């Protein structure tokens, strides 16, 4: 084989690779959007069919499939299958941002369910994330307050309450409600609940 022919073959293979990579990226994007649209429309029957389709499994990453499956089961209040999707996610090697996105959301869910075991798994997974220190500490405070009844964060939360966006303020109000309940300060707990209800109503408008 001549050098020129070898160069031509390599060039053709490279062009083919670039073309296939573009094709798979486009198909991945298209299939991911199809799944997301079914979730948005709450068409869970079609979503379940599509998520198990061999073509979807070839083009949409295990992380994306598990993430959407987990969220669909939360929306359906299907704890059994949500836990199965959670277990499947635990077996994947995730990037830091993926861990933050999934386990932050999952931790909040399992705290709400008072599932000590799975909330702890989420906390430990979040603790392994590199960088993202601010977000890690945010989820750590939620875990320590809600699962460990740690009231030492009270002053910090009260100070930052009026200097943060509404979604974080709402979360902090719920943390303060829990802290005040632990401290048996019922008047402050009731006041925080009133503020949280008012803020939630504003956010839903």
């Amino acid at each position: 084989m001549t050098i020129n022919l070898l160069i031509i073959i390599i060039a053709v293979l490279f062009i083919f690779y670039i073309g296939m990579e573009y094709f798979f990226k486009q198909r991945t994007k298209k299939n991911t959007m199809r799944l997301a649209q079914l979730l948005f429309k709450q068409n869970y029957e079609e979503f379940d069919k599509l998520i198990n389709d061999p073509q979807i499994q070839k083009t949409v990453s295990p992380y994306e499939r598990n993430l959407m499956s987990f969220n669909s089961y939360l929306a359906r209040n299907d704890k059994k299958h949500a836990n199965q999707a959670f277990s499947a996610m635990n077996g994947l090697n995730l990037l830091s941002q993926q861990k933050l996105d999934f386990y932050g959301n999952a931790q909040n869910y399992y705290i709400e369910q008072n599932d000590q075991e799975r909330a702890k798994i989420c906390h430990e997974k979040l603790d392994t994330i590199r960088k993202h220190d601010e977000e890690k500490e945010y989820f750590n405070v939620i875990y320590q307050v809600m699962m460990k009844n740690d009231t030492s964060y009270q002053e910090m939360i009260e100070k930052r309450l009026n200097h943060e966006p509404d979604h974080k303020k709402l979360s902090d109000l719920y943390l303060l409600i829990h802290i005040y309940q632990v401290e048996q300060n019922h008047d402050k707990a009731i006041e925080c609940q009133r503020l949280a209800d008012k803020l939630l109503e504003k956010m839903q408008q």
Side-chain angles (χ1 to χ4, degrees), residues 7-195:
I7 291 172
I8 291 171
I9 291 173
I10 292 173
V12 169
L13 288 174
F14 178 75
I15 293 169
F16 174 77
Y17 170 77
I18 294 296
M20 289 302 295
E21 185 179 33
Y22 175 79
F23 170 75
F24 280 114
K25 281 183 178 179
Q26 290 298 106
R27 194 165 63 163
T28 296
K29 183 178 179 181
K30 178 181 177 182
N31 286 337
T32 302
M33 287 302 299
R34 287 171 65 194
L35 289 167
Q37 287 169 357
L38 290 173
L39 273 185
F40 182 75
K41 294 176 182 177
Q42 299 182 344
N43 189 344
Y44 300 124
E45 183 177 355
E46 287 301 314
F47 173 84
D48 289 339
K49 289 179 183 177
L50 191 60
I51 201 79
N52 293 310
D53 185 286
Q55 291 302 315
I56 294 294
Q57 294 184 355
K58 288 178 182 178
T59 57
V60 180
S61 72
Y63 168 76
E64 292 288 349
R65 297 201 311 272
N66 277 316
L67 177 66
M68 286 189 277
S69 292
F70 182 76
N71 287 331
S72 80
Y73 295 133
L74 296 194
R76 287 181 263 186
N77 197 29
D78 186 340
K79 296 179 183 178
K80 177 183 176 182
H81 287 99
N83 290 342
Q84 289 176 356
F86 179 77
S87 296
M89 192 69 90
N90 293 339
L92 299 179
N93 186 20
L94 304 182
L95 301 174
S96 291
Q97 187 63 55
Q98 292 174 334
K99 285 183 182 179
L100 190 66
D101 293 341
F102 178 74
Y103 288 108
N105 179 44
Q107 178 181 273
N108 290 342
Y109 168 70
Y110 286 120
I111 286 174
E112 184 184 358
Q113 297 297 310
N114 197 28
D115 188 328
Q116 297 269 353
E117 179 183 351
R118 291 184 176 88
K120 183 180 179 182
I121 290 172
C122 293
H123 175 66
E124 291 172 347
K125 292 283 189 180
L126 289 166
D127 196 45
T128 67
I129 295 174
R130 296 180 180 179
K131 300 182 179 179
H132 301 284
D133 292 337
E134 183 178 344
E135 293 90 341
K136 282 173 62 177
E137 181 58 18
Y138 173 75
F139 288 116
N140 176 58
V141 171
I142 292 174
Y143 179 80
Q144 298 300 335
V145 171
M146 300 302 293
M147 301 308 287
K148 300 298 183 180
N149 294 331
D150 188 342
T151 62
S152 66
Y153 296 96
Q154 177 181 332
E155 185 177 352
M156 179 194 73
I157 296 171
E158 288 174 337
K159 284 182 178 179
R160 74 186 186 190
L161 196 62
N162 295 320
H163 307 284
E164 54 188 0
D166 285 348
H167 70 281
K168 286 192 174 182
K169 181 184 289 188
L170 184 64
S171 175
D172 276 350
L173 283 170
Y174 287 132
L175 293 181
L176 287 174
I177 290 168
H178 186 80
I179 288 172
Y180 294 142
Q181 287 173 340
V182 171
E183 296 176 338
Q184 297 188 356
N185 189 337
H186 302 301
D187 289 341
K188 282 214 167 188
I190 291 170
E191 175 62 15
C192 274
Q193 185 65 63
R194 185 187 67 79
L195 292 172

